[in-house]
Amino acid sequence: MTILIPKISIVTRTKNRNLLLGRCMQTIFSQSITDDLEWIIVNDGGGKHEVDTVVGALNGEKSNLKTNIIHLEQSVGRASAANIGCEASSGELLVLLDDDDSWHDTFLEEVAAVFRENNSLSIISTHSERVEEELIGGEIFQQRRENAEFNSEKISFLGMCAFNRLALNSVVFKKSVFDDIGGFDESMDLLEDYDFFIRAMLKYDVYVIPKVLSRFHVRVSEKDGSSYANSTTSMQQLHEQTLASYRNKMIRKDLVDGQIGVGHYLALGEMYHEQILARKEFRLGIQSLFGLVNPVVLVKKLLGKLRVERNK
């Protein structure tokens, strides 16, 4: 029996990170389904020969994988590169796999199966795994791995307004979603994925497969300026400033338009997130002070003693 799988276009942004690009290609080749896949590599102003060499050396392993390398003469930035790749795609489904991330072998198969069974779905995400790694002497060494803190059984619009609960490479969406919301905002070179998800969720729900099938890799030791650095780790302060500016921009738009819109919900989400962080810091402080594994137990005991004292 032939199982019909929707055509999937994979878009990869890369720039002078050939070591990671080779691993990215291997994760695609390792997928349990490879028929009717399309891989679009957007070389955002990096060396052409190096990319052609990496892809050419590995591409013979999967001759049925359609590859399309788009070389850009100059770097256009993350959002523009994503749009170029998505606009060049021909698949019904789209997923962005940046050159430093990877998937479990059944990622595409399991996501495509859910789409096939329920065509009304528009966006599907899986749980993610955070992998810390280090580059030493031209090799990648894994340091630790853990399930992402933001993994959730469900993702609501208000929950996304608090903080980004989606890893970009864990999300597969119909190309019609991309077309409908106008792609990625090219004025943003950080958090373009967060803005994309916020705008998408104004119209579409996200269906979650509660299984770890994707990995996002971070290289904490790589500093800003290194082509192998991560924006969320090497440019953390800039990342936070960009998020604040994004929230400010959206709430200003609401005020100019005279309506309660996305900006207000982002502001509510920020307050909620700050409360969560404050509670977490309080628990860690209690734990550090008393050396307890579970500070909640301590609080309950203290409350219990207070009640006893009051009843005497």
Side-chain angles (χ1 to χ4, degrees):
M1 179 181 176
T2 302
I3 300 176
L4 297 177
I5 299 292
K7 184 174 183 178
I8 304 172
S9 295
I10 305 161
V11 175
T12 296
R13 301 173 290 187
T14 190
K15 182 182 178 181
N16 297 329
R17 304 206 295 189
N18 304 320
L19 181 63
L20 299 179
L21 182 62
R23 181 181 66 185
C24 175
M25 191 165 195
Q26 290 290 3
T27 202
I28 295 172
F29 286 173
S30 298
Q31 291 298 295
S32 53
I33 58 168
T34 55
D35 292 335
D36 221 9
L37 294 184
E38 174 184 50
W39 188 31
I40 300 168
I41 305 102
V42 182
N43 179 17
D44 188 23
K48 295 181 182 180
H49 175 72
E50 292 81 358
V51 172
D52 289 338
T53 299
V54 170
V55 176
L58 296 171
N59 202 20
E61 300 179 25
K62 295 284 183 180
S63 57
N64 60 331
L65 176 66
K66 178 184 176 183
T67 59
N68 177 15
I69 304 175
I70 301 174
H71 291 296
L72 303 180
E73 293 298 326
Q74 295 181 334
S75 177
V76 297
R78 296 160 56 89
S80 296
N83 283 339
I84 290 170
C86 292
E87 289 164 359
S89 67
S90 60
E92 178 187 349
L93 302 178
L94 270 171
V95 57
L96 276 79
L97 177 68
D98 281 341
D99 58 7
D100 60 340
D101 293 326
S102 64
W103 295 320
H104 288 244
D105 292 351
T106 61
F107 173 80
L108 291 178
E109 180 180 9
E110 296 194 42
V111 173
V114 176
F115 269 116
R116 188 180 65 248
E117 293 166 4
N118 191 340
N119 192 50
S120 65
L121 297 176
S122 296
I123 307 172
I124 294 177
S125 177
T126 73
H127 282 183
S128 298
E129 189 174 38
R130 185 180 192 273
V131 181
E132 289 187 12
E133 59 192 20
E134 192 167 356
L135 270 63
I136 303 175
E139 293 187 57
I140 305 170
F141 294 91
Q142 186 179 124
Q143 304 296 322
R144 59 178 296 192
R145 57 197 301 170
E146 59 186 1
N147 288 349
E149 287 185 350
F150 53 75
N151 285 339
S152 178
E153 299 293 313
K154 59 182 179 180
I155 299 175
S156 67
F157 174 75
L158 289 177
M160 279 293 289
C161 286
F163 58 92
N164 191 355
R165 299 167 185 262
L166 294 170
L168 181 60
N169 72 311
S170 74
V171 184
V172 182
F173 50 93
K174 289 181 176 177
K175 188 176 183 181
S176 58
V177 173
F178 173 86
D179 294 333
D180 187 25
I181 69 171
F184 292 86
D185 183 346
E186 296 186 1
S187 70
M188 302 181 70
D189 204 38
L190 279 177
L191 301 180
E192 75 288 345
D193 55 337
Y194 183 47
D195 169 70
F196 180 88
F197 295 143
I198 289 290
R199 288 186 289 115
M201 291 189 69
L202 284 171
K203 295 186 175 185
Y204 304 96
D205 290 333
V206 176
Y207 179 90
V208 178
I209 299 175
K211 184 176 179 180
V212 175
L213 292 172
S214 67
R215 310 181 190 95
F216 64 95
H217 298 248
V218 296
R219 290 157 301 285
V220 180
S221 62
E222 295 294 316
K223 305 301 181 184
D224 185 20
S226 167
S227 61
Y228 285 91
N230 296 85
S231 63
T232 53
T233 54
S234 67
M235 299 186 290
Q236 185 174 357
Q237 184 177 2
L238 179 59
H239 202 272
E240 292 173 356
Q241 289 174 346
T242 303
L243 179 57
S245 296
Y246 175 65
R247 287 168 171 155
N248 290 340
K249 180 182 75 171
M250 298 306 287
I251 200 154
R252 289 186 192 114
K253 183 179 184 303
D254 286 355
L255 294 174
V256 170
D257 294 342
Q259 64 178 8
I260 295 177
V262 173
H264 284 74
Y265 292 112
L266 287 170
L268 289 172
E270 181 183 17
M271 289 187 287
Y272 172 69
H273 191 214
E274 286 179 350
Q275 287 181 350
I276 292 175
L277 293 177
R279 292 193 197 105
K280 184 177 180 180
E281 289 178 4
F282 173 76
R283 287 195 298 268
L284 290 175
I286 293 293
Q287 180 176 334
S288 174
L289 181 62
F290 293 94
L292 296 176
V293 175
N294 188 355
V296 175
V297 174
L298 171 67
V299 174
K300 288 182 177 179
K301 286 183 178 180
L302 290 175
L303 291 175
K305 287 182 178 181
L306 287 173
R307 293 191 190 97
V308 171
E309 292 295 326
R310 287 175 182 172
N311 293 331
K312 283 184 178 180

